[in-house]
Amino acid sequence: MVLFNFLYFTGTVFFVKSVFRERKNRPYTYYSKIYHVVILAVPLLFGNPWLSLAYLFPLLRALKFSGTTMKPMKVGILEIVGAVQFLIVAVVIFLSV
């Protein structure tokens, strides 16, 4: 479970940097999007295919907003929604196993 949390929150760092400090850095934005696509496969490799659902929202968020200008309040709200969604999905999946 620690690995999945680490991967999720590492993705949030990439996303937040790609909308604030690195938004004009095209390679960084590209790496952020690629990272979110790759972490979708990690739960599959560890035998938890349903946990990939927890990484869908961050992937969609990164694909839509990385490299754009956003207000800090909107980014904060997206981060809270994503973290709560990740927590709920992860708890439900791990309790059902």
Side-chain angles (χ1 to χ4, degrees):
M1 184 64 176
V2 173
L3 171 68
F4 299 120
N5 284 315
F6 177 77
L7 292 173
Y8 174 79
F9 286 108
T10 301
T12 65
V13 170
F14 281 124
F15 173 70
V16 170
K17 283 190 71 134
S18 73
V19 294
F20 291 131
R21 193 171 286 208
E22 301 291 339
R23 77 175 163 269
K24 294 181 182 178
N25 184 349
R26 288 291 165 203
Y28 192 88
T29 301
Y30 177 73
Y31 296 146
S32 173
K33 292 176 181 179
I34 293 298
Y35 177 83
H36 284 89
V37 169
V38 169
I39 65 170
L40 208 56
V42 172
L44 298 172
L45 297 173
F46 283 91
N48 282 326
W50 290 105
L51 193 56
S52 293
L53 294 174
Y55 295 110
L56 280 179
F57 178 78
L59 172 64
L60 297 174
R61 176 195 67 196
L63 293 176
K64 181 164 174 73
F65 296 114
S66 285
T68 63
T69 302
M70 294 178 67
K71 292 183 178 183
M73 173 85 80
K74 186 174 182 180
V75 174
I77 290 169
L78 281 173
E79 288 303 312
I80 291 169
V81 168
V84 169
Q85 173 266 334
F86 180 82
L87 176 67
I88 290 170
V89 170
V91 167
V92 166
I93 288 171
F94 278 106
L95 288 178
S96 67
V97 172

